[in-house]
Amino acid sequence: MQPLDDIHAELLGTLKRYWGYDSFRPVQEEIIRSVCQGRDTLALMPTGGGKSLCYQVPALLLPGLTLVVSPLISLMKDQVAALNGVGIPAAFLNSALDAQAFQAVCREIRQGMHKLIYVAPERLLQEGFLALMQEQKIAQVAVDEAHCISQWGQDFRPSYRKITEFVARLPRRPVLSAFTATATAEVQADILAQLELR
């Protein structure tokens, strides 16, 4: 296990190299450390609080692929464009891609060309996608807008309930991280239960 100062230096170095920041915002480093140490993590952070960095930084440091489950195509596009813009290999697989572009991303995944893949929850258990993911070493599954998994949440999406089955069908359980800006105590408890966070 690395000494804490070494981990701090590595995290800050990654933050500076790719995003140009000299320091983390409050609680970001604590969340990132938790994920990097292989602990399932639920983070409740305000909109604009820098949630995405909390799974993007670990994605660069963990050995393998990070899968980001996101409900919004526009958000996926924006995040992938921003990551590519700073030299981080990332892509999305969603209905905005035509068949040719979709297959091209799948080939790139097989060749180990990406560190982050963004995907809608509806795709997780589709046969071709599941088979592709079972071939990969998935280090982290990051669940964005995690309140969507709770029937008590404001944006309940039944497809979010597929995440647990998807993770169970992987050959090796990755670390799970879940992020939301809006969750009552009831919704937080439901997220922990539904995602079976350890």
Side-chain angles (χ1 to χ4, degrees):
M1 197 120 172
Q2 277 179 285
L4 287 183
D5 286 349
D6 288 359
I7 295 170
H8 176 71
E10 186 177 21
L11 296 181
L12 269 186
T14 303
L15 184 72
K16 176 76 173 168
R17 178 180 169 195
Y18 290 103
W19 289 276
Y21 301 131
D22 291 313
S23 62
F24 289 101
R25 291 184 187 175
V27 309
Q28 275 182 327
E29 185 172 356
E30 186 184 344
I31 294 163
I32 291 166
R33 276 178 192 262
S34 177
V35 176
C36 285
Q37 289 165 352
R39 293 203 303 267
D40 287 356
T41 304
L42 170 61
L44 183 64
M45 297 172 80
T47 301
K51 289 194 297 286
S52 56
L53 276 182
C54 295
Y55 55 81
Q56 291 170 349
V57 172
L60 296 174
L61 299 173
L62 293 168
L65 186 67
T66 285
L67 194 66
V68 183
V69 181
S70 175
L72 302 169
I73 287 176
S74 58
L75 192 71
M76 291 187 210
K77 285 181 172 175
D78 291 349
Q79 292 221 1
V80 167
L83 288 165
N84 292 165
V86 296
I88 296 169
F92 57 79
L93 285 172
N94 61 38
S95 55
L97 298 176
D98 63 26
Q100 202 173 352
F102 191 91
Q103 289 307 320
V105 173
C106 290
R107 275 194 304 278
E108 290 165 3
I109 293 170
R110 284 193 179 91
Q111 291 162 8
M113 291 171 64
H114 295 294
K115 284 301 285 177
L116 294 103
I117 296 293
Y118 286 74
V119 66
E122 290 80 6
R123 186 161 308 274
L124 292 175
L125 294 179
Q126 289 179 2
E127 214 169 291
F129 179 78
L130 180 60
L132 174 61
M133 290 300 108
Q134 287 170 333
E135 295 166 9
Q136 308 308 308
K137 181 179 182 184
I138 299 180
Q140 174 187 199
V141 173
V143 182
D144 205 6
E145 309 296 337
H147 57 274
C148 293
I149 201 171
S150 174
Q151 62 181 335
W152 316 114
Q154 67 214 29
D155 301 309
F156 175 54
R157 282 187 48 168
S159 55
Y160 261 66
R161 298 283 174 99
K162 296 176 180 176
I163 295 170
T164 315
E165 186 184 343
F166 169 77
V167 169
R169 292 176 69 176
L170 295 173
R172 181 181 147 275
R173 188 186 187 276
V175 62
L176 264 69
S177 57
F179 301 87
T180 180
T182 50
T184 61
E186 188 176 35
V187 170
Q188 288 176 56
D190 206 22
I191 292 169
L192 290 168
Q194 294 296 336
L195 286 175
E196 297 177 4
L197 296 184
R198 296 177 187 171

